[in-house]
């Protein structure tokens, strides 16, 4: 004999009931079936609401009862031919009348007892089982309906009654021996006391009813039909990549259901496990899916996948009892748990320090006040004598649990769990691991719940690709090119590097736009213009914190000082920072060091290769030299692609202003060309290189020899600056002619040697490597202990939106490693 249970949205409406009957009709005809059903979807919640409203003398409970009645009557009219409807409608109306009389009594006495509530709630299952049994008869099946209250006997703990298995098994076995019908439909969730008082088995108790029946009759299989295709590796509403578990042991299923996997009611598993009855979880809406098979299994022979599932419980509070008076004194733990037991408070999580100085328990937040009261009463004497501290309560927490039978057979599971959480800056408040090693639980902040589940699912279940979530500020020339490059390379990244790059947030100076599924890069501009909201840096950050996604990176393509000063906040939240904005790394030395320290401490990458030399590997090469033990003796560099372009094209009959405007038009200069021509941009770059060498220089320490007339340096606007360049055209011609006279070329050079940094315009001879430097190229000469005779040379394009974007893109990829 098989037992089948139908619940959730699989018992929602008339079409769902037809689907159930169709599934049962297709079952092998030689067997008998016990069919346990839940109430129609949401009916139980509405019945509870009726009782509560009646107890508060609010007449609107009658409106809800009317809605319940209409819903059942509509289903009758949709399911049955007219000749059959009269009897069924009369049955429903009689039960609704009984229900209304019960609620009227509650209304009069203004009290809703658990006994009355159980009786109210029983209406849902009694009605659905009656209708389904009648519909099975319409299908020509040999079906009857049996009231579970005649079979399942419980104690009088209304609301969550305990089953008397000896008496219940006797009734169940006797009934199924006497009845020969092939299809026996029973209401789930309900039982009765020996005095025939209606009881309920707890929310989700229909699963339990099916398991009780299965155990009593030694069923060959228990099928639980619901609206999902089995138990999942994680909650699919939180983890999009979650998938059904094909096979799972009883113990693993119990752990997952205890920690929030709502596919199966936790007590369901015990009766089936006792008789080794397999439990098959199936999807009513997709019956061909294999679902999940729960059975006795020896998984020790296959340890390739130590983790079976990841789950968790939200809204947890930690209670910590501690004090030196606890050390070496027996009985504190017993007293603590006895007090919680007397208060009927369920303990979800336990951990104790090895010094016996403290013991921490996790409970539902709803029980905080009750728990504090009973514990304070129990230990009032010790607290008054200061032998133990007052109870410490921490709220807004949750538990995540990694579950699997084979974790004990494979080393490193806990290390993988905690390192994955650590890399994503998820702080662990407490840890517990059972001696059976089937479960590793950690308490974390409630706000990190979604992020933690996705992080652990990626670590244990997801083969590449690795999902990378980008938040990009600055969609000007560099930002636009970066978007093009990411879009162009997305297939390559997915196939070759196993990276799924998603842009979640975008911002320019006016608007910001977010999409938690990833912004479509082919039309990002339309979305930010049409759907974007007003841009504010702090609002942008708040949105990023709210998303709280794993593997998040913040990309700054701006030249904004305000934006550069937010990097520390991103790093503190475990979000890596990729930037071509030089302001942060050339700001106060203490701030620069703080960012580097935060990056190490929170394991959040901070990469700024494009601060010097656009996409050239200037900083990474310098770091490689230093990290491998080389010593930097001297750095000479042409670090401004814009200035190199300007002086390479300041030839013939061209005026200096003319070349500057050409460089700006081509995007080789900063938006404000005064930054380039003043030498400030180069000063920032050599400062960054000096600091990467270990120097603590400030920007004011760099020696600068400006080639601009003093009045040009003090221009009030870009237009004013251009007017002054025009006015001093002869001055610039003189500088050029002087260099050409001695067959030299003008180069704006940065140097760092013996702790001293300087920048300035120089004339170089033909034998100098900088002489042949063409176009907008940069060149860096590293003279080191190992490269003493000939310097290590890095040369290439050092300006331009496309190469800068490629450098940013390269840093993004490095950050994913």
């Amino acid at each position: 004999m098989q037992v089948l249970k139908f619940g959730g949205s699989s018992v929602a409406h008339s079409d769902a009931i037809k689907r159930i009957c169709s599934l049962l009709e297709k079952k092998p005809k030689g067997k008998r079936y016990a069919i346990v059903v839940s109430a129609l979807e949401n009916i139980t919640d509405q019945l509870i609401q009726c009782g509560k409203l009646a107890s508060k003398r609010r007449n609107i409970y009658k409106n809800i009862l009317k809605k319940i009645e209409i819903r059942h009557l509509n289903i009758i009219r949709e399911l049955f031919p007219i000749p059959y409807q009269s009897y069924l409608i009369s049955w429903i109306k009689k039960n609704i009348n009984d229900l209304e009389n019960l609620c009227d009594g509650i209304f009069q006495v203004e009290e809703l007892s658990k006994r009355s509530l159980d009786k109210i709630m029983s209406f849902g299952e009694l009605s659905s089982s009656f209708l389904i049994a009648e519909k099975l008869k319409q299908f020509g099946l040999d079906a009857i309906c049996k009231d579970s209250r005649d079979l399942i006997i419980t104690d009088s703990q209304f609301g969550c009654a305990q089953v008397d298995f000896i008496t219940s098994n006797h009734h169940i076995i006797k009934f199924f021996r006497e009845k020969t019908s092939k299809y026996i439909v029973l209401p789930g969730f309900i039982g009765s006391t020996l005095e025939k008082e209606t009881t309920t088995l707890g929310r989700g108790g229909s699963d339990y009813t099916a398991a009780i029946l299965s155990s009593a009759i030694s069923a060959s299989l228990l099928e639980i039909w619901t609206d999902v295709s089995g138990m999942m590796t994680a909650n699919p509403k939180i983890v999009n990549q979650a998938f059904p578990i094909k096979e799972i042991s009883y113990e693993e299923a119990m752990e997952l259901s205890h920690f929030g996997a709502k596919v199966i009611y936790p007590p369901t598993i015990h009766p089936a496990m006792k008789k080794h009855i397999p439990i098959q979880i199936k999807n009513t809406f997709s019956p061909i899916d294999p679902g999940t098979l729960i059975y006795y299994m020896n998984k020790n022979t296959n340890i390739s996948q130590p983790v079976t599932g990841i789950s968790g419980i939200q809204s947890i509070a930690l209670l910590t009892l501690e004090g030196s008076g606890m050390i070496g004194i027996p009985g504190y733990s017993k007293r603590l748990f006895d007090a919680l037991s007397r208060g009927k408070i369920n303990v979800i999580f336990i951990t104790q320090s090895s010094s016996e100085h403290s013991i921490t328990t996790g409970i539902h937040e709803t029980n905080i006040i009750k728990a504090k009261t009973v514990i304070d009463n129990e230990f009032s004497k010790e607290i008054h004598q200061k032998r133990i501290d007052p109870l410490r309560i921490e709220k807004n927490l949750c538990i995540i649990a990694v579950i699997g039978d084979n974790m004990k057979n494979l080393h490193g599971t806990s290390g993988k769990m905690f390192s994955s959480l650590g890399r994503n800056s998820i702080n662990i408040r407490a840890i517990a691991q059972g001696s059976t090693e089937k479960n590793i639980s950690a308490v974390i902040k409630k706000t990190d719940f979604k992020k933690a589940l996705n992080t652990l699912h990626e670590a244990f279940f997801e083969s590449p690709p690795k999902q990378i979530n980008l938040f990009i500020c600055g969609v000007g020339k560099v930002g636009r090119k970066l978007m093009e490059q990411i879009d162009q390379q997305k297939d390559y990244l997915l196939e070759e590097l196993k990276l799924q790059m998603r842009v979640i947030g975008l911002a320019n100076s006016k608007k910001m736009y977010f999409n938690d599924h990833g912004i479509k890069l082919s039309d990002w501009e339309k979305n930010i213009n049409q759907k974007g909201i007003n841009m504010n840096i702090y609002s942008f950050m708040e949105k990023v914190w709210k998303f709280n996604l794993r593997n998040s990176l913040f990309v700054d393509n701006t030249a904004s000082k305000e934006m550069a000063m937010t990097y520390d906040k991103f790093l503190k939240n475990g979000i890596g920072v990729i930037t071509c904005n030089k302001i942060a790394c050339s700001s106060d030395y203490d701030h620069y060091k703080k960012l580097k320290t935060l990056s190490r401490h929170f394991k959040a990458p901070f990469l700024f290769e494009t601060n010097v030399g656009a996409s050239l590997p200037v900083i990474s090469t310098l770091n490689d030299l230093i990290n491998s033990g080389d010593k930097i003796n001297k750095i000479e560099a042409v670090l401004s692609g814009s200035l190199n372009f300007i002086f390479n094209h300041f030839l013939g009959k061209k005026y200096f202003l003319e070349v500057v405007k050409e460089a700006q038009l081509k995007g080789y200069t900063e938006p404000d060309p005064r930054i380039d021509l003043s030498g400030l941009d180069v000063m920032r770059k050599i400062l960054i290189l000096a600091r990467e060498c270990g120097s603590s220089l400030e920007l004011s320490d760099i020696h600068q020899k400006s080639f601009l007339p003093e009045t040009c340096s003090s221009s009030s606007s870009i237009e004013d600056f251009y007017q002054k360049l025009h006015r001093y055209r002869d001055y610039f011609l003189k500088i050029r002619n002087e260099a050409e006279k001695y067959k030299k070329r003008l180069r704006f050079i940065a140097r760092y040697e013996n702790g001293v940094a300087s920048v300035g315009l120089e004339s170089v001879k033909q034998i100098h490597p900088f002489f042949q430097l063409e176009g907008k190229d940069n060149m860096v000469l590293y003279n080191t202990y190992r490269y003493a005779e000939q310097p290590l040379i890095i040369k290439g394009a050092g300006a331009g939106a496309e190469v800068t974007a490629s450098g940013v893109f390269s840093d993004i990829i490095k950050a994913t490693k």
Side-chain angles (χ1 to χ4, degrees), residues 477-532:
K477 293 178 181 178
V478 173
R480 186 180 297 273
K481 288 294 181 182
L482 175 63
M483 306 285 273
E484 289 177 6
Q485 291 172 12
I486 293 173
D487 193 34
Q488 177 187 334
Q489 286 295 100
K490 63 180 183 294
D491 292 337
Y492 174 85
L493 293 175
L494 199 59
E495 293 170 14
E496 300 298 326
L497 301 184
K498 308 304 179 189
L499 295 174
Q500 182 190 20
M501 206 77 74
R502 303 193 313 164
V503 178
I504 303 298
L506 273 180
N508 57 27
S509 59
K510 295 179 180 178
K511 289 189 174 183
M512 56 184 181
Y513 172 66
F514 297 87
N515 187 322
D516 56 357
H517 297 296
I519 296 169
K520 192 175 180 182
L521 297 185
S522 58
D523 58 2
W524 65 265
E525 197 165 8
K526 180 181 75 175
N527 282 321
I528 198 171
N529 289 331
Q530 295 180 3
K531 300 178 184 177

Side-chain angles (χ1 to χ4, degrees), residues 50-74:
C50 284
K52 289 181 176 179
L53 289 170
S55 69
K56 295 175 182 177
R57 294 185 66 83
R58 296 181 64 185
N59 270 314
I60 57 172
Y61 75 86
K62 293 184 178 180
N63 298 337
I64 299 172
L65 283 176
K66 193 64 181 175
K67 288 180 181 177
I68 293 172
E69 179 183 3
I70 291 170
R71 183 175 174 191
H72 283 83
L73 296 181
N74 285 339

Side-chain angles (χ1 to χ4, degrees), residues 387-670:
R387 284 188 282 159
I388 62 174
D389 301 331
L391 184 69
R392 189 170 77 244
I393 300 172
E394 298 170 74
K395 296 185 286 186
N396 298 318
L397 301 171
C398 65
I399 296 175
I400 49 167
V402 171
I403 294 158
D405 278 342
N406 281 324
M407 292 196 299
K408 61 181 178 291
N409 298 317
L410 194 66
H411 299 299
T413 304
S414 57
K416 188 174 184 179
M417 173 183 178
F418 298 133
S419 62
S420 298
L421 295 174
R423 280 195 302 273
N424 281 277
S425 290
I426 299 169
N427 188 45
I428 296 170
R429 179 62 193 85
I431 300 167
Q433 181 173 6
S435 58
T436 60
E437 297 185 58
K438 288 183 173 66
N439 177 333
I440 305 173
S441 302
V443 178
I444 61 173
K445 290 191 298 184
K446 191 193 296 185
T447 52
D448 285 331
F449 186 71
K450 179 179 178 181
K451 184 179 181 182
L453 285 182
N454 278 278
T455 296
L456 293 176
H457 197 273
E458 180 181 77
F460 288 107
F461 292 109
E462 296 170 30
S463 55
K466 180 180 182 181
Q467 191 179 88
I468 308 300
N469 299 297
L470 303 179
F471 297 89
I472 300 176
C473 276
V475 288
K477 293 178 181 178
V478 173
R480 186 180 297 273
K481 288 294 181 182
L482 175 63
M483 306 285 273
E484 289 177 6
Q485 291 172 12
I486 293 173
D487 193 34
Q488 177 187 334
Q489 286 295 100
K490 63 180 183 294
D491 292 337
Y492 174 85
L493 293 175
L494 199 59
E495 293 170 14
E496 300 298 326
L497 301 184
K498 308 304 179 189
L499 295 174
Q500 182 190 20
M501 206 77 74
R502 303 193 313 164
V503 178
I504 303 298
L506 273 180
N508 57 27
S509 59
K510 295 179 180 178
K511 289 189 174 183
M512 56 184 181
Y513 172 66
F514 297 87
N515 187 322
D516 56 357
H517 297 296
I519 296 169
K520 192 175 180 182
L521 297 185
S522 58
D523 58 2
W524 65 265
E525 197 165 8
K526 180 181 75 175
N527 282 321
I528 198 171
N529 289 331
Q530 295 180 3
K531 300 178 184 177
I533 59 176
N534 290 337
M535 170 58 180
N536 175 281
I537 290 176
Y538 297 100
S539 297
F540 183 89
M541 288 193 293
E542 284 176 9
K543 290 284 286 185
V544 177
W545 307 160
K546 190 173 180 181
F547 276 109
N548 201 20
L549 296 171
R550 71 195 190 281
N551 306 327
S552 291
L553 296 173
F554 169 64
V555 182
D556 180 15
N557 299 316
T558 74
S560 163
K561 180 178 180 180
E562 190 179 9
M563 190 67 73
M565 292 301 106
T566 65
Y567 297 170
D568 59 331
K569 296 175 180 64
F570 285 99
L571 295 171
K572 284 177 183 176
N573 279 275
I575 296 172
V577 175
I578 313 297
T579 182
C580 58
N581 185 338
K582 293 177 279 291
I583 294 175
C585 288
S586 60
S587 61
D588 293 343
Y589 177 76
D590 288 344
H591 184 70
Y592 160 83
K593 286 296 292 181
K594 177 185 177 183
L595 295 178
K596 301 278 279 190
T597 302
L598 289 173
S599 173
R600 288 193 299 271
H601 182 75
F602 290 99
K603 295 180 174 59
F606 175 43
L607 300 176
F608 45 91
E609 183 70 74
T610 48
N611 279 197
V612 182
S615 64
L616 294 177
V618 175
I619 295 175
S620 57
T621 300
L622 177 60
N623 288 332
D624 288 344
L625 291 170
I626 294 169
N627 293 338
S628 64
D630 204 351
K631 181 182 178 183
I632 307 299
N633 296 324
K634 181 170 66 172
I635 299 174
E636 287 184 288
V638 172
L639 295 174
S640 174
S642 55
L643 286 177
N644 200 49
F645 176 87
I646 288 168
F647 288 115
N648 271 325
H649 288 76
F650 185 31
L651 303 168
K653 296 182 180 181
K654 287 186 176 180
Y655 289 109
F656 190 69
L657 172 60
E658 187 180 349
V659 181
V660 171
K661 285 187 173 182
E662 183 183 354
Q664 186 191 31
L665 184 65
K666 290 180 179 291
Y668 297 153
T669 69
E670 296 287 341

